C-alpha cells in the first residue's frame, strides 16, 4: 500500500513554547487528509536533501488539518532552522505519510512520560486514553516551564498531569511512575535519549513503549559481506562490509523510500522474505525484531550470508 504524498499549505504558525513552533498544515484545495492515530508521524520535505520527520500532535478526529511542532535546535542539521526562519503562512511543503511505529495499544491504565519536544506524540494519546475511559497519568519534564510546549492544553486534565521543569524540581522522579506499575498498565515514553535510557533501565519488562528522535547507542558485531537478493526481480547484489543495504540497492538502480539514514524514522522499512536480519535500528520492538519479518535497511544488516528482500 503506497503512502499518501501531497503538497500541503502552511495554514497557521504559532509559538507553542520558547523555541517551539506549532505548524498547522491543510490541503490547498480543502481536500480531506488521511486518517491517523496517536503516535503517528509524517515526513516533511523542506528542500533538497532536507527531509525531516515530525509527530502529529493535533486532533486525529479533524480530517482537514495536520499539526506538528518543531523545536529550534541551534546545533541541528538545518531542518528546525528552516522551519523557524524561512517557513511562512501560505507556503507549501511536500509531506508523506502518516506512519506509526509508536501506536497506542488498548489498556485499562497508562503511565505517560514525556521530555521536552517528546510531548508531541504523547499529546493525542492522552485524549485517546481519556476517550476510552482508561486511567492515566502524565509526567512531563523540560529544561524550564517556558520551554515546555502545550502546557496550556494540558491544564484541562488537572492533577493527572505533573509538569516538572528541571530548573524548578530537578530531574524527573521516574520512581513515582515506574516503581509500582499495576498489572495491565502500559508505559509510553518519548523524549531525549538520556531520559529514554533511564526509563528503559527502570521500567518493568513488557510494559514499555518508546519513541526515539535520535538513534540509540547499540553494541554491534563486525560488518561482513553478504548477498542481497531482490525477490521481485531475482537480482543478486553484494553488500560490502562498509556499505549499507540501502546504499547497495540504490546503487543498483532500485528506488527505495528513505529519509533519516539513522534507523529512527522507519521510512525504509522493508519486508524480509528469507534470511536473518541483524537489527540495528531504534524503531522496531523486541517482538518485531524476533519475528524478523521486516528490517530498516539504512542501518541493519544480515546475520548470515544471504538476505532476500521484497524489493
Amino acid at each position: 500500500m503506497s503512502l499518501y504524498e501531497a503538497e500541503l499549505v502552511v495554514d497557521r504558525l504559532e509559538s507553542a513554547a520558547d523555541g517551539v513552533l506549532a505548524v498547522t498544515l491543510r490541503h490547498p484545495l480543502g481536500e480531506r487528509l488521511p486518517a491517523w492515530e496517536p503516535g503517528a508521524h509524517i515526513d516533511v520535505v523542506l528542500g533538497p536533501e532536507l527531509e525531516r520527520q515530525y509527530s502529529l500532535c493535533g486532533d486525529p478526529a479533524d480530517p482537514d488539518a495536520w499539526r506538528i511542532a518543531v523545536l529550534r535546535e541551534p546545533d541541528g542539521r538545518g531542518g528546525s532552522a528552516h522551519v523557524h526562519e524561512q517557513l511562512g503562512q501560505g507556503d507549501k511543503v511536500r509531506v508523506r505519510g502518516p506512519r506509526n511505529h509508536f501506536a497506542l495499544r488498548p489498556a485499562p491504565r497508562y503511565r505517560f512520560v514525556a521530555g521536552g519536544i517528546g510531548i508531541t506524540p504523547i499529546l493525542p494519546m492522552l485524549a485517546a486514553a481519556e476517550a476510552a475511559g482508561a486511567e492515566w497519568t502524565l509526567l512531563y519534564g523540560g529544561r524550564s516551564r517556558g520551554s515546555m510546549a502545550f502546557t496550556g492544553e494540558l491544564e484541562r486534565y488537572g492533577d493527572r498531569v505533573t509538569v516538572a521543569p528541571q530548573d524548578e524540581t530537578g530531574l524527573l522522579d521516574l520512581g513515582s511512575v515506574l516503581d509500582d506499575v499495576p498489572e495491565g498498565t502500559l508505559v509510553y515514553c518519548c523524549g531525549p535519549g538520556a531520559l529514554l535510557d533511564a526509563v528503559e533501565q527502570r521500567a518493568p519488562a513488557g510494559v514499555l513503549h518508546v519513541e526515539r528522535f535520535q538513534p540509540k547507542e547499540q553494541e554491534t558485531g563486525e560488518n561482513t559481506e553478504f548477498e542481497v537478493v531482490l525477490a521481485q526481480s531475482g537480482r543478486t547484489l553484494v553488500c560490502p562490509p562498509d556499505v549499507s543495504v540501502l546504499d547497495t540497492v540504490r546503487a543498483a538502480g532500485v528506488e527505495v523510500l528513505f529519509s533519516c539514514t539513522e534507523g529512527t524514522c522507519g521510512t525504509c522499512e522493508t519486508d524480509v522474505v528469507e534470511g536473518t536480519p541483524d537489527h540495528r535500528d531504534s524503531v522496531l520492538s523486541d517482538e518485531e525484531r524476533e519475528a524478523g519479518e521486516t528490517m530498516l535497511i539504512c542501518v541493519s544488516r544480515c546475520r548470515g550470508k544471504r538476505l532476500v528482500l521484497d524489493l
Side-chain angles (χ1 to χ4, degrees):
M1 180 178 176
S2 59
L3 286 173
Y4 174 82
E5 185 168 353
E7 275 198 339
L8 301 185
V9 64
V10 176
D11 181 65
R12 189 163 62 249
L13 294 163
E14 301 173 288
S15 174
D18 295 341
V20 179
L21 192 63
V23 182
T24 300
L25 303 169
R26 296 182 184 273
H27 194 281
L29 300 179
E31 295 179 8
R32 290 193 161 196
L33 302 177
W36 60 279
E37 295 182 349
H41 70 263
I42 57 173
D43 305 329
V44 181
V45 181
L46 299 168
E49 306 296 324
L50 196 60
E51 182 175 327
R52 298 292 182 265
Q53 291 72 44
Y54 298 109
S55 297
L56 291 169
C57 59
D59 181 3
D62 182 358
D64 298 319
W66 281 349
R67 184 178 70 168
I68 60 175
V70 182
L71 171 67
R72 179 72 163 93
E73 298 183 270
D75 298 324
R77 297 178 297 162
S80 69
H82 181 97
V83 171
H84 279 256
E85 298 172 9
Q86 299 185 44
L87 202 62
Q89 187 173 7
D91 287 351
K92 290 183 178 179
V93 292
R94 178 156 291 275
V95 303
R96 185 170 57 237
R99 293 184 180 85
N100 199 341
H101 291 280
F102 193 44
L104 185 67
R105 299 182 181 180
R109 286 173 296 277
Y110 299 97
R111 292 187 177 176
F112 298 103
V113 182
I117 198 63
I119 190 63
T120 51
I122 299 293
L123 196 61
M125 290 185 179
L126 305 183
E130 183 82 353
E135 299 176 17
W136 62 268
T137 61
L138 166 66
L139 178 61
Y140 178 23
R143 295 187 310 276
S144 65
R145 192 173 296 272
S147 71
M148 299 171 67
F150 304 120
T151 52
E153 295 185 22
L154 294 171
E155 289 178 356
R156 66 190 179 102
Y157 295 122
D159 60 7
R160 279 172 294 177
V161 174
T162 300
V163 175
Q166 186 174 348
D167 61 353
E168 297 178 21
T169 63
L171 295 177
L172 288 180
D173 180 10
L174 296 179
S176 65
V177 177
L178 302 175
D179 285 354
D180 183 21
V181 179
E183 185 176 350
T185 303
L186 294 182
V187 179
Y188 279 78
C189 179
C190 186
L195 171 62
L196 299 185
D197 292 343
V199 170
E200 285 182 337
Q201 292 173 8
R202 195 155 188 167
V207 305
L208 179 63
H209 300 270
V210 303
E211 181 170 61
R212 290 180 177 270
F213 296 139
Q214 300 294 330
K216 181 181 180 181
E217 291 188 11
Q218 305 183 48
E219 292 185 7
T220 59
E222 181 182 357
N223 287 358
T224 58
E225 181 178 284
F226 56 92
E227 291 184 346
V228 177
V229 181
L230 309 182
Q232 295 178 24
S233 65
R235 296 176 63 188
T236 297
L237 311 175
V238 175
C239 184
D242 58 345
V243 180
S244 70
V245 177
L246 173 64
D247 287 343
T248 298
V249 299
R250 291 186 68 224
V254 179
E255 292 189 6
V256 182
L257 289 177
F258 70 98
S259 181
C260 73
T261 69
E262 296 179 327
T264 59
C265 74
T267 303
C268 69
E269 185 174 3
T270 302
D271 288 341
V272 177
V273 178
E274 186 181 321
T276 304
D278 178 6
H279 296 291
R280 302 183 182 186
D281 64 275
S282 303
V283 172
L284 298 180
S285 66
D286 291 341
E287 293 80 9
E288 290 169 327
R289 289 179 175 224
E290 183 67 26
E293 296 176 351
T294 67
M295 64 182 288
L296 271 64
I297 60 174
C298 66
V299 291
S300 297
R301 300 185 65 80
C302 178
R303 290 191 179 276
K305 294 293 186 181
R306 186 170 180 266
L307 198 61
V308 183
L309 301 178
D310 187 18
L311 293 173

